[in-house]
Amino acid sequence: MRQAVYAPQGVVATSQPLAAQAGLAMLREGGSAVDAAVAAAVTLTQVQPGSNDIGGDLFALVWDGKQLHGLNASGRAPAALSLAALTAAGHPPNDALGGGQARAELAPPARGWLPVTVPGAPAGWQDLHARFGRLPFERLFADAVHYAEQGWTVSPTVARRWAASVEIHRELARPECRDWAAVFAPEGRAPQVGELFRNPGAGRALRLIGGSHADSFYRGEIAHALAAYAADTGGLLTAADLAEHTSTWVEPVSTDYRGHTVYEIPPNGQGVAALQALALLDGLPRHGLHEQIEAMKLGFADAHAYVADPAAYPMPDLLDPAYLAARRALIGDRAGDPPPGDPMKGGTVYLAAADADGMMVSLIQSTYQGFGSFVVLPEYGFGLQNRGAGFSLDPAHPNVAAPGKRPFHTIIPGFLFRDGAPLGPFGVMGGHMQPQGHLQLVLATVDEGLGPQEALTRPRWYWHTERQVEVEPEFDPALIEDLRARGHEVTVATDRGTFGMGQAIWRIPGGYVAGSEPRADGQAAAY
């Protein structure tokens, strides 16, 4: 078990030690928590490939000492992406598929060019720095460039997931995926634990992004190379799509739970699922594991039905007290499979950073599924996310694929307040696990009084679909039997990859206390 890390001035917690150290170096040089977070995020693109990359997306929450700010740095669909284009490519709307179609057919394909949306991470780094940074933007890229060009030694969790991605790539006979192996499996395999890995093309890209304040990525050399590669290999992404990209500063959404307030980024992210589950539980005089799982199911049911790009579909109020009361009434003694309600009537990395002035950052970035689309830009060494796979092919769904639209996103940064004062940033990455991880970490903190490291170390549960629940091997057998007696189909998992990876930093009178995910290679680095 890892011990909590206490820091008098600042701390950076990430899922890979080299990235934590990169962020810590910025704090030592007088940089802000945002400088540290951006440096760590940029470094993670190199030292945790597969989970994130230069061609990914980003969301962040920043406490500046007086106010909490939200940044949505996710990208939008190319102007040429439409249901007609997907149909022409062999992916018709789901109302044309007939009965019995597999769930996978209700979304665009997961690999290749079709699920690629405009990458938002480089713009997100620049926008965060422009508002809250102190050090020169280019300085934040130094460690990442060094590891890309000079190499870094591969850590155990990264190596294991990398090897699994190599096997996935072997099955992809797409021209736009051909260059992935040259960059990420040059020996015909994934690098092994402790092996030195270099990616000089990525170093070139990072130098260009840092030196141009990300302009090269959206309007300069990299943008032109991306557009040309897409045109040559059948992609829909154009220079105009890249040039028109902007991040969006947003107002965080929140709910109260037992004297605490939990903040999330509003849609197009799924943070509202965690908030709804917490709000449902807050209205119960007491709750156990069964009620927690049922509340999470209700949150997911509504999130999957209603979360979409708010510019295209205004979000209904899923946290309205009257609506929550109606949904709460559905939590009974037996495992259920709830449908969405009707509110109209009533592959990711997470990091946290904090500095001596009280600024705290909750940041998450991702290429989505392992190595995203498997589309890699030759000579620039980075892959593109596949967030477009989060769109729906249902013409009547709020999240239906459309030009210039942001898709449903799984990645969510969290922030916790206690009695109206900021406690700190937290997050748990891992697709469908993320709202469940947020829920479990908050409950462990608030209900059990655990510190950040203890809360992250607790055995986790994961609701998959219908009545299927997975738990970690250390889970209390009595709780497992109680769930089974209530109709849950419980499996004790052997692969911990299902349960996500998190970080958390809490403000304390003497500075900060931080925890880092024991299921990953990470570190909380103190200053």
Side-chain angles (χ1 to χ4, degrees), residues 295-481:
M296 194 69 256
K297 289 181 186 179
L298 289 162
F300 271 127
D302 282 349
H304 291 161
Y306 299 112
V307 168
D309 185 343
Y313 178 80
M315 182 73 181
D317 188 1
L318 301 179
L319 301 176
D320 175 75
Y323 179 67
L324 287 170
R327 298 296 274 167
R328 191 178 293 116
L330 299 177
I331 300 176
D333 293 331
R334 301 284 300 173
D337 189 12
D342 189 355
M344 304 305 289
K345 291 183 178 179
T348 304
V349 292
Y350 173 79
L351 65 94
D355 64 27
D357 294 326
M359 181 180 288
M360 295 180 278
V361 183
S362 181
L363 186 151
I364 194 163
Q365 67 184 21
S366 171
T367 47
Y368 195 28
Q369 297 163 336
F371 284 97
S373 62
F374 280 94
V375 178
V376 168
L377 182 62
E379 300 182 25
Y380 295 86
F382 67 85
L384 300 171
Q385 36 96 325
N386 61 335
R387 281 292 169 187
F391 279 125
S392 171
L393 292 179
D394 181 351
H397 197 285
N399 185 44
V400 64
K405 188 175 180 181
R406 282 170 160 155
F408 176 97
H409 255 271
T410 58
I411 59 175
I412 51 174
F415 210 101
L416 185 62
F417 278 56
R418 175 185 291 159
D419 297 326
L423 184 59
F426 72 93
V428 178
M429 53 73 67
H432 193 57
M433 179 65 201
Q434 292 186 55
Q436 305 184 61
H438 282 215
L439 175 68
Q440 292 173 63
L441 192 149
V442 170
L443 294 178
T445 301
V446 177
D447 293 344
E448 301 181 48
L450 299 184
Q453 188 61 64
E454 293 82 2
L456 287 166
T457 302
R458 281 188 94 247
R460 292 181 188 146
W461 53 265
Y462 170 77
W463 173 70
H464 178 55
T465 186
E466 297 178 339
R467 293 173 175 80
Q468 299 172 23
V469 179
E470 293 184 24
V471 298
E472 292 192 283
E474 297 82 6
F475 224 80
D476 184 344
L479 291 176
I480 294 174
E481 290 309 309

Side-chain angles (χ1 to χ4, degrees), residues 509-526:
Y512 301 97
V513 58
S516 184
E517 179 60 63
R519 300 163 186 81
D521 305 322
Q523 179 186 51

Side-chain angles (χ1 to χ4, degrees), residues 88-248:
H91 307 279
N94 72 336
D95 62 352
L97 289 170
Q101 67 267 32
R103 185 175 181 83
E105 293 175 305
L106 303 182
R111 310 297 184 183
W113 271 118
L114 280 178
V116 173
T117 53
V118 175
W125 302 331
Q126 161 59 20
D127 292 333
L128 286 167
H129 175 267
R131 192 163 183 176
F132 301 110
R134 295 177 192 158
L135 300 176
F137 186 63
E138 191 171 11
R139 173 67 187 94
L140 310 183
F141 288 70
D143 279 23
V145 169
H146 172 80
Y147 293 129
E149 295 178 346
Q150 303 303 316
W152 58 284
T153 49
V154 177
S155 53
T157 303
V158 173
R160 184 173 66 253
R161 296 189 171 205
W162 203 332
S165 294
V166 170
E167 296 307 310
I168 294 172
H169 180 261
R170 295 190 201 282
E171 305 299 319
L172 296 176
R174 299 173 181 269
E176 67 267 37
C177 298
R178 66 183 179 227
D179 292 294
W180 182 88
V183 173
F184 292 108
E187 304 296 326
R189 57 168 176 80
Q192 298 175 356
V193 176
E195 188 172 348
L196 193 72
F197 180 79
R198 296 184 179 90
N199 187 350
R204 174 187 178 186
L206 290 170
R207 288 183 182 277
L208 288 167
I209 295 167
S212 68
H213 287 254
D215 189 67
S216 177
F217 192 93
Y218 296 99
R219 297 169 188 83
E221 179 181 329
I222 297 175
H224 298 315
L226 267 174
Y229 188 62
D232 289 344
T233 56
L236 302 179
L237 196 67
T238 66
D241 294 322
L242 292 161
E244 291 170 5
H245 172 75
T246 57
S247 304
T248 306

Side-chain angles (χ1 to χ4, degrees), residues 497-518:
T498 301
F499 300 95
M501 302 178 191
Q503 320 293 328
I505 299 173
W506 300 151
R507 184 79 172 171
I508 58 175
Y512 301 97
V513 58
S516 184
E517 179 60 63

Side-chain angles (χ1 to χ4, degrees), residues 245-268:
H245 172 75
T246 57
S247 304
T248 306
W249 290 99
V250 297
E251 186 71 25
V253 291
S254 66
T255 195
D256 293 330
Y257 179 78
R258 308 288 203 259
H260 293 67
T261 304
V262 181
Y263 286 87
E264 302 275 358
I265 293 285
N268 52 314

